[in-house]
Amino acid sequence: MLPANVPADHPPITAPRTGILIANLGTPDGYDYWSMRRYLNEFLSDRRVIDYPAWKWQPLLQSVILTKRPFTSGANYKLIWNEEQGESPLMTITRDQTKALRARASEEWGDQVMVEFCMRYGNPSTDHVLDRMIEAGCRRIVFLPLYPQYAGATSATANDQLFRALMKQKWQPSVRTCDAYFDRADYIAALAASVSRVLGDRKPGRLVASYHGMPKRYLLEGDPYHCQCQKTSRLLQEALGWEDGIIDTTFQSVFGPEEWLRPYTVEHVAELAQRGVSDIAVISPAFASDCIETLEEINGEIRESYEHAGGQNFTYIPCLNDDAAHIEVMLNVIRENTGGWVSTD
């Protein structure tokens, strides 16, 4: 319905709202070859992820990597695929997180806000979701990349994609991007609670905090990710009240010939077993949602590395996912970024 002073032929006017948009990494639409190839091509063509010159990288990517890797990656996705819903666990979990966050935001702000999610790679795309939110009247948007620690290859590329989508809009909404939340007290408390929930009173010989890796060169070029991971681990140890040396910070998912951040998780757990550490637990504080890197890589390759080296007791501690404490962390971050945009009356 148009206001009284607007001409009858004016385009429809929607009541203004504040949008809350959370962004996760992404997922292929299926584990078949072509779905995997499309997804991997988008992911591995991102200059934030692989920053080699295009003339050098793209021929290798298109002719070699994307010929072989969709088969191996697809096989790994098949192992964890949510066949009932026809999607990857990351998609299922992100949708559940959005549903829970939407319910909490509605309790607090009613219909003043609209809560949606997008994926940096794959579907639903940032472009598509942003279009839909603007059409629904979102003149202000709070954007929360679901990466507790900031990295150029995660938080920054999610922001980049949002900004590219905004460039296509005739009438751009105001936007606030949220900071990383790696050292927030509520996030650390949620991590500590998840450890206690899984382990109970048991203290493992070592808790391995396995973070997604990146080339060491990125750290030397100024990326803060490594330092933020180290601080998360230290704060988690303090929150648990454990002694120094019981939590190890490691990095997984190494790709390509460069040296990446060390120690590598897959090698470190084997070394622990060889040193006689017969009971370890692994947690993934860099992942907001369980995904291929946790459900298949940690519970598959990394578990096998530990057990083949003689380790006996391996426990994986799931990501925070849609745990109520995690949803409250998200809501708190969003609340701090909606100042002046929504009314709490």
Side-chain angles (χ1 to χ4, degrees):
M1 185 175 181
L2 294 173
N5 60 337
V6 174
D9 61 350
H10 193 283
I13 298 176
T14 306
R17 307 168 74 186
T18 294
I20 296 168
L21 179 56
I22 64 174
N24 217 328
L25 177 74
T27 169
D29 295 326
Y31 50 75
D32 60 280
Y33 175 84
W34 289 109
S35 293
M36 290 302 313
R37 183 176 177 117
R38 284 192 300 272
Y39 175 74
L40 290 171
N41 183 46
E42 184 180 9
F43 175 50
L44 296 175
S45 293
D46 185 350
R47 292 296 302 276
R48 288 279 195 179
V49 175
I50 306 290
D51 65 354
Y52 300 147
W55 66 265
K56 181 179 181 180
W57 173 244
Q58 281 298 323
L60 176 63
L61 175 64
Q62 300 300 328
S63 64
V64 179
I65 296 172
L66 292 180
T67 299
K68 300 178 179 179
R69 187 156 178 172
F71 290 110
T72 55
S73 295
N76 290 336
Y77 267 98
K78 186 176 181 179
L79 295 173
I80 65 166
W81 201 254
N82 183 344
E83 296 289 358
E84 183 178 344
Q85 297 192 40
E87 61 190 21
S88 75
L90 177 67
M91 178 68 77
T92 304
I93 293 167
T94 306
R95 185 181 293 107
D96 290 343
Q97 290 171 324
T98 305
K99 181 179 178 181
L101 182 60
R102 184 180 292 131
R104 287 290 291 114
S106 179
E107 289 175 7
E108 182 141 344
W109 298 304
D111 59 4
Q112 297 181 78
V113 300
M114 176 181 184
V115 181
E116 298 293 338
F117 77 92
C118 65
M119 298 294 185
R120 169 60 184 89
Y121 313 105
N123 297 305
S125 69
T126 306
D127 284 45
H128 176 76
V129 178
L130 182 66
D131 284 345
R132 183 154 47 83
M133 296 180 78
I134 291 175
E135 289 175 4
C138 293
R139 299 305 320 147
R140 300 167 298 271
I141 292 178
V142 174
F143 186 67
L144 173 59
L146 291 182
Y147 306 108
Q149 297 80 21
Y150 174 94
T154 55
S155 307
T157 192
N159 289 337
D160 289 347
Q161 194 71 354
L162 175 68
F163 301 148
R164 279 190 286 266
L166 287 167
M167 291 172 65
K168 302 173 184 178
Q169 298 297 325
K170 294 292 186 185
W171 185 8
Q172 292 179 332
S174 299
V175 171
R176 292 173 179 169
T177 58
C178 299
D179 288 339
Y181 51 96
F182 67 99
D183 59 351
R184 289 181 59 96
D186 51 3
Y187 166 66
I188 298 300
L191 281 180
S194 74
V195 173
S196 299
R197 185 163 54 248
V198 173
L199 299 182
D201 295 331
R202 173 178 138 244
K203 184 186 296 184
R206 201 65 57 90
L207 175 63
V208 177
S210 180
Y211 298 81
H212 198 287
M214 69 163 53
K216 181 179 179 181
R217 172 171 54 86
Y218 291 11
L219 165 64
L220 301 179
E221 291 171 348
D223 194 299
Y225 177 73
H226 177 266
C227 300
Q228 293 185 2
C229 293
Q230 295 286 354
K231 187 170 183 179
T232 296
S233 295
R234 176 174 61 79
L235 293 176
L236 175 59
Q237 176 191 315
E238 293 173 1
L240 289 168
W242 291 358
E243 66 273 17
D244 290 344
I246 197 169
I247 298 182
D248 293 341
T249 296
T250 64
F251 301 90
Q252 63 182 88
S253 308
V254 176
F255 174 79
E258 278 194 83
E259 181 180 1
W260 282 40
L261 297 176
R262 290 181 179 271
Y264 300 154
T265 306
V266 68
E267 296 177 356
H268 186 72
V269 296
E271 292 168 1
L272 288 175
Q274 292 163 0
R275 297 205 307 260
V277 181
S278 61
D279 177 22
I280 70 170
V282 180
I283 189 171
S284 301
F287 297 94
S289 319
D290 274 305
C291 54
I292 189 75
E293 285 85 356
T294 63
L295 299 174
E296 193 283 324
E297 185 177 1
I298 289 181
N299 247 342
E301 177 187 0
I302 291 169
R303 175 190 290 271
E304 290 171 6
S305 176
Y306 177 69
E307 294 175 347
H308 288 171
Q312 299 174 17
N313 193 357
F314 182 102
T315 302
Y316 172 61
I317 299 170
C319 296
L320 295 178
N321 296 326
D322 63 341
D323 180 77
H326 192 204
I327 301 304
E328 289 303 310
V329 173
M330 294 184 203
L331 187 67
N332 289 337
V333 172
I334 291 164
R335 185 185 291 115
E336 292 168 8
N337 285 274
T338 54
W341 281 4
V342 292
S343 171
T344 56
D345 295 337

